[in-house]
Amino acid sequence: MPNRTSGLPVLPPVASILLLVIAVILSVPVFADDIAPTKNARTLHFNVSPNGYPPYLIVDGQEPSGIMWDVVTLIADRIGYEVVPEQIPRKRVDTMLLNGYIDATSRAIEWTDNPEQFLFTDSIVEVEEVVFIPADSDLTYQTTEDLFSRTVVTHLGYFYPLLESHFQSGAIKRFDVSRDRDMFTFLLHGKRFDAAIADRLVGQWILRNEGWREDFRISKESLTNYGFRLMLRKDWTAFARLFNAELANIRANGDLEDILSQYR
């Protein structure tokens, strides 16, 4: 009768080697940085809003377009991220971003309640409010006093820090409309309106599309100037660092200017 030194079966040599290899692998500590990111971990859920914000975000086609979309998708592709567009109403954006339903939205720091809750990239493009004047008008704009006793077409609900005191005193009259395009329609056809205040790129986009470029002059001086950026959660610091580095590259090599020129 053969001797039995144990109740365990004797394994063949190959199986013994495999068990040894597995034991060694399991004994090595695994760190988060050693794990290759999954496709989901390399996806940026980017808010484009239901109506967009032409020419920064345009959502009237099958795929979004616009300055911010083009820049974000270009950079994301170069740093290894896929961009998924999400249409989130403005009032829900901040909450859904903090709760992880989306990862990024376009925003100026100055337009944000409690901006310390979020992480912002470097400025992608400047949002610059300027004065649009009918081409046949004798009005020129250099200072706010040039608008005294004038009626200015403005966007309903917008706050204009440089002009608010003059609106309140009546030195400058404002006429509110709800859509950007309507500002130029009223100014073009309404005899009692002297100027309109709009974002430079927004206005240029509208005038180009409507064939109104020759009908208006645009002031060189701006009323406000804000950096339009990506707003992220604070745990997206690694992405922001990569994004900023590539943003600097496309600014230097002319790729950013090429995108902007498509929408002027």
Side-chain angles (χ1 to χ4, degrees):
M1 180 180 290
N3 293 329
R4 298 185 60 181
T5 58
S6 169
L8 297 176
V10 178
L11 296 176
V14 174
S16 299
I17 293 171
L18 287 174
L19 285 176
L20 178 61
V21 171
I22 292 171
V24 170
I25 292 173
L26 293 177
S27 67
V28 176
V30 179
F31 299 98
D33 291 341
D34 296 327
I35 302 174
T38 63
K39 184 176 181 181
N40 186 57
R42 305 289 289 185
T43 298
L44 177 76
H45 292 267
F46 177 48
N47 173 45
V48 297
S49 81
N51 298 315
Y53 180 30
Y56 299 103
L57 290 165
I58 302 169
V59 295
D60 58 1
Q62 290 186 343
E63 181 177 276
S65 60
I67 294 169
M68 297 297 282
W69 175 260
D70 290 355
V71 171
V72 170
T73 52
L74 174 65
I75 293 178
D77 180 66
R78 292 184 180 180
I79 63 176
Y81 282 78
E82 177 188 0
V83 182
V84 176
E86 305 287 356
Q87 297 186 15
I88 308 301
R90 175 65 182 86
K91 291 182 179 180
R92 300 176 60 195
V93 170
D94 291 16
T95 300
M96 295 191 74
L97 179 57
L98 288 172
N99 291 336
Y101 291 99
I102 57 173
D103 304 312
T105 192
S106 303
R107 189 75 62 81
I109 297 173
E110 295 82 0
W111 301 346
T112 307
D113 295 330
N114 305 312
E116 68 282 355
Q117 292 182 311
F118 302 97
L119 174 68
F120 293 87
T121 66
D122 293 341
S123 174
I124 297 171
V125 63
E126 296 299 308
V127 175
E128 182 187 11
E129 286 179 323
V130 294
V131 179
F132 289 80
I133 303 167
D136 58 359
S137 171
D138 60 358
L139 173 65
T140 58
Y141 175 81
Q142 292 182 317
T143 67
T144 55
E145 286 77 10
D146 293 327
L147 298 177
F148 284 5
S149 301
R150 305 280 189 167
T151 300
V152 177
V153 184
T154 50
H155 200 295
L156 180 66
Y158 279 27
F159 180 80
Y160 303 91
L162 196 62
L163 302 180
E164 283 305 314
S165 63
H166 304 307
F167 289 147
Q168 293 175 10
S169 69
I172 305 173
K173 295 181 175 61
R174 69 180 287 175
F175 180 84
D176 286 340
V177 298
S178 58
R179 298 194 309 165
D180 291 312
R181 183 185 179 280
D182 292 343
M183 299 173 69
F184 298 94
T185 303
F186 276 90
L187 185 57
L188 190 62
H189 300 293
K191 298 300 181 182
R192 65 189 183 96
F193 306 117
D194 300 295
I197 299 172
D199 170 75
R200 185 184 297 276
L201 286 170
V202 170
Q204 288 175 329
W205 169 257
I206 293 171
L207 299 188
R208 188 183 81 168
N209 288 347
E210 299 295 334
W212 293 340
R213 278 178 168 173
E214 303 303 318
D215 296 312
F216 294 93
R217 292 182 284 113
I218 307 173
S219 68
K220 293 181 179 179
E221 294 76 10
S222 56
L223 283 79
T224 58
N225 199 308
Y226 302 120
F228 211 26
R229 315 162 186 269
L230 283 191
M231 186 172 84
L232 309 153
R233 286 188 306 282
K234 286 193 171 183
D235 59 340
W236 278 67
T237 52
F239 173 88
R241 183 172 61 253
L242 293 172
F243 186 93
N244 287 339
E246 188 57 33
L247 176 61
N249 288 337
I250 68 169
R251 195 183 302 279
N253 66 21
D255 287 348
L256 178 58
E257 179 57 31
D258 288 344
I259 291 173
L260 293 175
S261 65
Q262 297 175 33
Y263 296 96
R264 291 192 178 108

